[in-house]
Amino acid sequence: MTTELTELTAVRLLDGYRRGEFSPVEATRAALDRAEEIQPAVNAFVRLDAEGALARAAESAERWRRGEPAGLLDGVPVTVKDILLQRGAPTLRGSRTVAERGSWDEDAPSVARLREHGAVFLGKTTTPEFGWKGVTDSPLSGVTRNPHDPARTAGGSSGGSAAAVALGAGPLSLGTDGGGSVRIPASFCGIFGLKPTYGRVPLYPASAFGTLSHVGPMTRDAADAALLLDVIGVPDARDWSGLDRPPTSFTSGLAHGIRGLRIAYSPSLGGQVAVRPAVAAAVRRGVERLAALGAYVEETDPDFTDPVDAFHTLWFSGAARVTEKLTRQQRELLDPGLREISAAGARLSALDYLAAVDVRTELGRRMGLFHERYDLLVTPTLPITAFEAGVEVPKGSGYRRWTGWTPFTYPFNLTQQPAATVPVGSDGDGLPVGMQIVGARHRDDLVLRAAHALFEAGATSSGLTSSGLTPAGLTPADS
């Protein structure tokens, strides 16, 4: 039963609790056992809280016995990226400059909503320092590795969350995404990841990277993500930029399908991105499946050029801000790459920043007009599959920074649009390929509907099944 429980989605676990097939204690113990098994090989966790998790699970089991569940996720094991505050657990953000001592007596809004709905917190997942890059390694917690091949990266910055979900250490995780940090690791690890419309999930404390940063679900499938978004996508007074409560449940809209939706398919953003052939082929098959499900699909490109310089200005400025008050001794403890971009950000002027905002505004205008013609845009999530662990860019790629190999993700942080990655196959090495689905602002429902249609049609593929990769197939790797 332990193996079976770790493979179940949150929706299926809840159904099992309701029917009395198994209890939250059993599911939590199975998830904890799985987390401890995978930790030496993939390094997905900063810390696990077995005692606290089992205590919450026992309380949940009693509520289910009485027929009085506390909320939509009562008894479901969840994990939280170590960027988000969680009451009773230090949030060190992958940095040796953050002191572990302290009261840690406040939840981030999304974590608070999970607590209110009875979720069981297993532990905090790994992140690069302050979430600054698209892979997950840090001076504090070392290297997080890919569940399909521990010699390769899990991606980042929510790499620990992606690896945990992929290997069954809880079906739900909270990630953050400032330039692709939910979608990149979800794609590399073969799971579903959603960056909702900016403000849909309240964020507190505010990110130093400003309105680029989103909180999003990382799950096995779109149905779980919709359920999680129903829980966390409600207002919180601490986030002045948060959106109102959505008019309807995201879960309730999943069954509407995609027949008649107008979908634009851009395989390379107008030839701007060199996509690995195996990736391109898997994504094209996913697009063909969307057409078979009744969508009107047209191969066309959005009208914009790569906004990477503007993104760097905003991103590097955020890095400078997050490290601004560190002493010289503390700066020596930083990830060298973070130290480098922080120094670059400190040299930028207010005029540089405002010029980048102008680029962002124009990009948003163009995408707004684009979505008057198309309900959704589909692209590869990434042009490559997972590469060697412990490096920011693939060796020999010629890229200087992680943005060189993530050209499909960060533009939609600039525009604040909802964007998800769906696993659609694998390359010749058995590494997952993700397909990105982008919607107009506030149309998270359409993104989730399209993804759900693919899952329901069996058109998705993570490469991790009950007969696939297990902890026994993993060997611990040096971090």
Side-chain angles (χ1 to χ4, degrees):
M1 176 61 76
T2 295
T3 299
E4 294 174 6
L5 288 176
T6 61
E7 292 170 1
L8 298 183
T9 64
V11 170
R12 178 65 183 89
L13 284 176
L14 290 164
D15 185 58
Y17 300 160
R18 193 173 295 111
R19 295 171 182 269
E21 296 174 7
F22 41 78
S23 76
V25 173
E26 292 173 291
T28 297
R29 186 174 288 116
L32 286 167
D33 288 347
R34 188 69 156 149
E36 291 171 355
E37 286 178 300
I38 68 173
Q39 180 64 9
V42 299
N43 187 32
F45 292 94
V46 178
R47 63 185 53 81
L48 289 166
D49 179 16
E51 182 179 354
L54 289 170
R56 284 183 62 84
E59 294 169 358
S60 173
E62 176 59 22
R63 290 192 294 269
W64 280 105
R65 188 192 65 77
R66 297 195 310 265
E68 300 173 352
L72 295 178
L73 295 175
D74 201 350
V76 176
V78 301
T79 57
V80 176
K81 183 180 180 181
D82 199 37
I83 289 287
L84 298 168
L85 292 179
Q86 181 182 327
R87 194 173 75 224
T91 300
L92 304 183
R93 302 196 286 173
S95 182
R96 292 183 291 175
T97 69
V98 178
E100 188 167 348
R101 62 183 180 278
S103 57
W104 303 109
D105 57 0
E106 190 171 22
D107 284 329
S110 52
V111 177
R113 302 295 86 77
L114 288 178
R115 194 181 299 277
E116 291 165 4
H117 282 262
V120 174
F121 298 107
L122 300 179
K124 302 295 286 292
T125 57
T126 53
T127 176
E129 197 162 23
F130 301 111
W132 81 270
K133 60 183 175 180
V135 294
T136 300
D137 59 72
S138 75
L140 179 68
S141 55
V143 179
T144 297
R145 299 174 180 276
N146 195 291
H148 296 261
D149 180 354
R152 299 176 188 259
T153 181
S157 62
S158 306
S161 290
V165 170
L167 284 171
L172 307 179
S173 193
L174 292 180
T176 63
D177 189 317
S181 290
V182 161
R183 291 159 290 157
I184 294 165
S187 180
F188 276 180
C189 293
I191 66 167
F192 181 76
L194 171 68
K195 177 187 75 67
T197 298
Y198 178 80
R200 170 50 54 217
V201 181
L203 179 62
Y204 172 85
S207 171
F209 298 103
T211 57
L212 294 171
S213 294
H214 307 225
V215 177
M218 303 184 74
T219 62
R220 296 280 186 83
D221 61 18
D224 269 12
L227 175 62
L228 182 50
L229 192 58
D230 280 341
V231 168
I232 64 176
V234 295
D236 188 287
R238 294 171 291 175
D239 184 354
W240 63 271
S241 65
L243 300 176
D244 288 341
R245 185 182 294 270
T248 59
S249 160
F250 290 107
T251 301
S252 66
L254 289 178
H256 295 164
I258 60 171
R259 183 168 299 279
L261 290 187
R262 303 161 299 167
I263 297 180
Y265 166 45
S266 178
S268 62
L269 294 180
Q272 297 182 78
V273 183
V275 179
R276 193 166 292 173
V279 172
V283 172
R284 184 170 290 275
R285 288 192 294 271
V287 171
E288 291 170 352
R289 193 65 176 178
L290 291 170
L293 291 169
Y296 296 109
V297 179
E298 178 182 348
E299 186 168 327
T300 188
D301 303 301
D303 178 26
F304 66 80
T305 56
D306 187 357
V308 67
D309 291 337
F311 180 80
H312 280 169
T313 294
L314 299 174
W315 196 252
F316 294 177
S317 297
R321 178 64 174 166
V322 81
T323 60
E324 180 184 23
K325 296 180 180 179
L326 298 182
T327 65
R328 178 177 298 179
Q329 291 76 16
Q330 286 176 313
R331 287 180 182 276
E332 290 301 314
L333 300 175
L334 292 175
D335 181 327
L338 175 59
R339 192 162 58 238
E340 185 176 316
I341 70 163
S342 297
R347 294 191 293 269
L348 294 167
S349 69
L351 290 177
D352 294 327
Y353 191 93
L354 291 173
V357 171
D358 286 343
V359 171
R360 183 180 193 179
T361 301
E362 173 60 15
L363 180 60
R365 183 190 72 84
R366 288 173 181 263
M367 287 309 301
L369 294 174
F370 183 83
H371 282 289
E372 288 188 338
R373 303 193 304 277
Y374 301 101
D375 298 302
L376 297 169
L377 167 67
V378 170
T379 74
T381 306
L382 297 164
I384 60 175
T385 51
F387 53 88
E388 179 184 357
V391 294
E392 182 184 348
V393 300
K395 289 185 178 179
S397 67
Y399 299 133
R400 179 75 182 101
R401 298 261 76 101
W402 62 272
T403 43
W405 53 271
T406 62
F408 292 109
T409 59
Y410 56 77
F412 305 109
N413 292 82
L414 290 167
T415 61
Q416 302 187 338
Q417 296 172 243
T421 182
V422 181
V424 290
S426 59
D427 67 5
D429 296 321
L431 297 169
V433 172
M435 182 175 77
Q436 181 174 233
I437 303 173
V438 183
R441 291 179 74 246
H442 311 295
R443 293 316 307 263
D444 307 71
D445 60 323
L446 292 185
V447 173
L448 285 165
R449 274 171 53 188
H452 182 65
L454 288 171
F455 279 104
E456 287 290 283
T460 60
S461 172
S462 71
L464 285 176
T465 66
S466 58
S467 59
L469 189 61
T470 67
L474 292 171
T475 55
D478 294 336
S479 61

